[in-house]
Amino acid sequence: MTWRELLGKIVSDPQEQQRIIETLNINAMTLRRWISGETNPRPQNLRLLLNTLPHAHRELIDLLAVEFPFIIKNDAYREEQVFCIPAEFYEQVMSAYVNVSQHLRSATISNLILQQMLKHLDTNQDGMLVSIAQCVPPVAGPKDS
């Protein structure tokens, strides 16, 4: 079985086909062309396809690797990265804590953490927004209505 045959089998369920189309932000014709072999998905769409079909991930990646050998290397690398925060990040945070003035320290360290979160969570740079919400006590005195 090829990855195209497996994908064809998966999308034989109309609900699953629609979910894939919406998740990958492609049209039905594009999906049919992938299945028929008329076109190939872009590398970022291959990664999204793998993420969209977690129940078939292992089988799909093995089949994709026949036609797209780079996918195994990228997938293994990504899985490895998810569990590993580099020592350089800790060095940067400690350096900022020691070397940045007290007034800028919190903002600098928060910025470093946000950047690391993006690298860690969005390894393919598909696009992600990360923000920090900080709770502060209310201002003392009467409440304005």
Side-chain angles (χ1 to χ4, degrees):
M1 176 182 283
T2 68
W3 72 271
R4 295 174 195 278
E5 292 167 339
L6 177 60
L7 184 57
K9 189 172 154 184
I10 291 169
V11 301
S12 64
D13 173 9
Q15 290 177 329
E16 187 68 0
Q17 178 181 356
Q18 189 58 38
R19 187 182 71 81
I20 292 169
I21 288 168
E22 289 173 5
T23 304
L24 298 179
N25 195 25
I26 60 172
N27 61 49
M29 181 58 76
T30 299
L31 190 58
R32 282 194 293 270
R33 286 180 179 153
W34 292 355
I35 293 167
S36 70
E38 291 176 53
T39 62
N40 289 325
R42 294 184 182 132
Q44 65 267 27
N45 283 338
L46 287 172
R47 289 185 204 90
L48 285 173
L49 183 63
L50 285 168
N51 293 337
T52 302
L53 303 169
H55 58 280
H57 185 275
R58 188 76 258 152
E59 184 179 5
L60 187 58
I61 196 163
D62 290 340
L63 295 171
L64 281 167
V66 173
E67 194 171 334
F68 308 103
F70 66 86
I71 200 78
I72 290 178
K73 179 182 170 198
N74 290 347
D75 190 62
Y77 176 71
R78 200 182 92 235
E79 285 178 11
E80 189 177 298
Q81 272 191 323
V82 169
F83 299 110
C84 181
I85 297 175
E88 295 81 26
F89 166 71
Y90 296 105
E91 292 171 12
Q92 288 176 328
V93 170
M94 296 306 291
S95 176
Y97 184 80
V98 172
N99 296 321
V100 174
S101 72
Q102 184 178 359
H103 300 292
L104 297 174
R105 186 176 299 147
S106 177
T108 303
I109 291 174
S110 294
N111 190 33
L112 287 170
I113 292 170
L114 286 171
Q115 289 173 11
Q116 182 59 38
M117 287 172 69
L118 283 174
K119 288 179 189 173
H120 190 76
L121 298 172
D122 189 18
T123 56
N124 296 328
Q125 297 181 342
D126 296 323
M128 177 181 276
L129 174 67
V130 178
S131 62
I132 295 176
Q134 184 174 3
C135 298
V136 294
V139 176
K143 308 279 187 253
D144 292 335
S145 40

